[in-house]
Amino acid sequence: MLVRAPLYPEYQIGDRLSVTGVIRTPQVIMPHGDKEFFDYPAYLQTRSIGSESLYPKITVIDEEVHTLTHLLGRLKESMVARIDSAIDAPASSLASGMLFGNASMSKELTDTFRVAGLSHIVVLSGFNIAIIISFVLLLLRVVPLFVRVLIASLSVVMFVVMVGGEASVVRATLMAGVSLLALVLGREYVARQALFVSLLCIVMYEPYALLHDVSLHLSFIATMGIVYMSGVLQMILSRYVSSRYLVEICATTLAAYIATLPYLMHTFGVASLYALFANILVVPWVPVAMLLSFLVVVFSFVSQTPTVLCAYVVSLLLDLMIAVANVVSGLPYASISVSLSYTQMIVVYVVLICVYLYVSSRTSDETYRTKPDDEDTFIY
């Protein structure tokens, strides 16, 4: 059951509560643009929520921690509080959102990021998992590989339980699990196979999510676009841009943007006109901001001086991201209403696939022709 309550008094994960009020089925709501309605009940069903109660009477019965899940949840709240104490708002809400998926941003800031096409940076992703795995593998580098991988896997699972297991982080976790398994077995990691294995696992666990989980759809569509299209886009952009890092950033951003745009127009009826421009400015700094935010949490348990230094630097980066979002969202026609029916969306995706196959084949042929004869054996 989804309960809507005032901000105060605050309740902690693990509290036993007595809730008295009217229970009703979730209502269909109006989303964005020209869409007639959003199937909110079906979306909640993917999270095993079938009813809601608006501002009931709530009484605390017990405040003790009873399970590991509750303990991890309170640990997350403690780390969010440490971020809030070290970093000023609204940068602190952005930092906690990027690290833990904590939905503490104000409605105005959330709308600003949505219009600017930057909402995805406050959604848990593969980089969160990469930070944890890299940190554990580096910390235990003297330990045998199998033990390091086992501890890294357990750490990732505990993180997923702590943050609540959103679709994007579950997908990233499963793909990371495949990569760790490949590392232990000495096999090559293939991102395309890992992507479909993770999708299969999620759908087997929650089949309803395949039809109605918007976050799952966006996560897999964006990742699929990056996995399949970024390589081709990098080869094309490298002809005009000399910086390899800039080419990778632009290709990855463009691949995810192209892949998700038809779905966004079908589901929400809107398109962010300057999203690509905003992402090119902001995305390169997201990993740095996330890493520094993570270090703020780590150092807060150890020493005040490095905590303050990291907090100062990450505050500058986060304030810069917020400034970019504000400028972009304030531009004319920053968000336009473009609604696609389901059939139109499928047609657009078919066209995109055909264009990708054509461009990919042309790019492969050109690469093959430009290779020296003694390297031909390494092409395929």
Side-chain angles (χ1 to χ4, degrees):
M1 182 176 69
L2 176 66
V3 176
R4 300 188 184 277
L7 291 176
Y8 301 97
E10 294 182 338
Y11 306 101
Q12 290 185 310
I13 295 175
D15 290 350
R16 292 185 181 274
L17 308 176
S18 172
V19 181
T20 305
V22 177
I23 300 175
R24 69 177 190 179
T25 57
Q27 304 298 309
V28 171
I29 62 175
M30 297 291 291
H32 312 281
D34 297 330
K35 300 296 292 183
E36 295 181 357
F37 69 91
F38 176 67
D39 198 349
Y40 188 57
Y43 172 77
L44 291 179
Q45 189 64 39
T46 64
R47 286 151 175 76
S48 301
I49 297 175
S51 58
E52 65 179 2
S53 182
L54 305 181
Y55 303 99
K57 178 184 178 182
I58 302 176
T59 305
V60 179
I61 300 175
D62 183 10
E63 296 182 351
E64 296 295 325
V65 178
H66 297 278
T67 67
L68 177 62
T69 302
H70 297 157
L71 181 62
L72 291 174
R74 291 198 176 185
L75 176 62
K76 184 191 79 169
E77 292 179 345
S78 172
M79 290 189 287
V80 170
R82 289 175 180 270
I83 290 177
D84 292 338
S85 63
I87 303 173
D88 293 333
S92 59
S93 61
L94 180 57
S96 59
M98 290 192 297
L99 276 185
F100 307 112
N102 198 49
S104 58
M105 291 172 57
S106 65
K107 184 179 183 302
E108 292 77 12
L109 187 59
T110 301
D111 291 340
T112 298
F113 272 73
R114 177 183 59 79
V115 173
L118 296 171
S119 299
H120 62 91
I121 71 172
V122 293
V123 177
L124 294 174
S125 63
F127 191 74
N128 305 71
I129 306 302
I131 289 179
I132 296 173
I133 293 176
S134 301
F135 181 76
V136 173
L137 294 180
L138 180 63
L139 188 65
L140 304 176
R141 58 184 179 276
V142 297
V143 179
L145 178 62
F146 177 77
V147 178
R148 280 187 290 162
V149 170
L150 180 61
I151 295 176
S153 302
L154 292 176
S155 302
V156 169
V157 171
M158 292 177 65
F159 174 77
V160 174
V161 173
M162 181 178 68
V163 300
E166 286 292 325
S168 58
V169 74
V170 171
R171 186 268 310 157
T173 300
L174 291 172
M175 293 184 69
V178 174
S179 68
L180 290 174
L181 182 62
L183 180 64
V184 172
L185 299 178
R187 302 290 295 273
E188 182 183 1
Y189 171 71
V190 182
R192 297 180 182 183
Q193 295 177 3
L195 178 63
F196 285 105
V197 167
S198 59
L199 176 61
L200 178 62
C201 292
I202 292 176
V203 172
M204 289 177 63
Y205 178 76
E206 181 52 79
Y208 201 72
L210 183 63
L211 297 178
H212 299 289
D213 194 340
V214 177
S215 59
L216 176 68
H217 299 164
L218 285 173
S219 177
F220 272 93
I221 292 173
T223 307
M224 188 175 296
I226 293 172
V227 169
Y228 281 90
M229 292 193 295
S230 61
V232 176
L233 291 174
Q234 284 184 34
M235 297 180 67
I236 296 174
L237 293 175
S238 60
R239 302 171 185 172
Y240 310 99
V241 182
S242 58
S243 173
R244 182 178 178 182
Y245 179 73
L246 182 59
V247 166
E248 291 179 356
I249 291 295
C250 293
T252 302
T253 303
L254 184 59
Y257 179 76
I258 293 174
T260 56
L261 185 59
Y263 182 82
L264 290 172
M265 290 191 293
H266 165 69
T267 306
F268 300 110
V270 294
S272 298
L273 195 59
Y274 308 110
L276 183 59
F277 172 71
N279 277 269
I280 291 175
L281 292 177
V282 171
V283 167
W285 301 103
V286 170
V288 180
M290 290 177 64
L291 182 59
L292 289 174
S293 300
F294 176 72
L295 291 178
V296 168
V297 176
V298 174
F299 288 143
S300 66
F301 291 96
V302 180
S303 175
Q304 185 70 16
T305 302
T307 302
V308 173
L309 291 176
C310 288
Y312 177 76
V313 177
V314 76
S315 295
L316 293 178
L317 285 176
L318 295 174
D319 288 338
L320 180 61
M321 294 179 186
I322 294 173
V324 171
N326 284 323
V327 171
V328 172
S329 63
L331 294 175
Y333 307 105
S335 180
I336 57 177
S337 298
V338 183
S339 182
L340 294 180
S341 66
Y342 181 79
T343 303
Q344 291 172 332
M345 181 188 69
I346 296 299
V347 171
V348 172
Y349 273 120
V350 170
V351 172
L352 285 178
I353 292 172
C354 293
V355 172
Y356 162 75
L357 293 175
Y358 173 75
V359 174
S360 179
S361 62
R362 289 289 301 272
T363 306
S364 299
D365 292 341
E366 292 178 7
T367 304
Y368 180 83
R369 287 195 298 268
T370 56
K371 288 287 182 179
D373 293 338
D374 57 351
E375 296 183 6
D376 287 350
T377 54
F378 299 97
I379 299 301
Y380 298 105

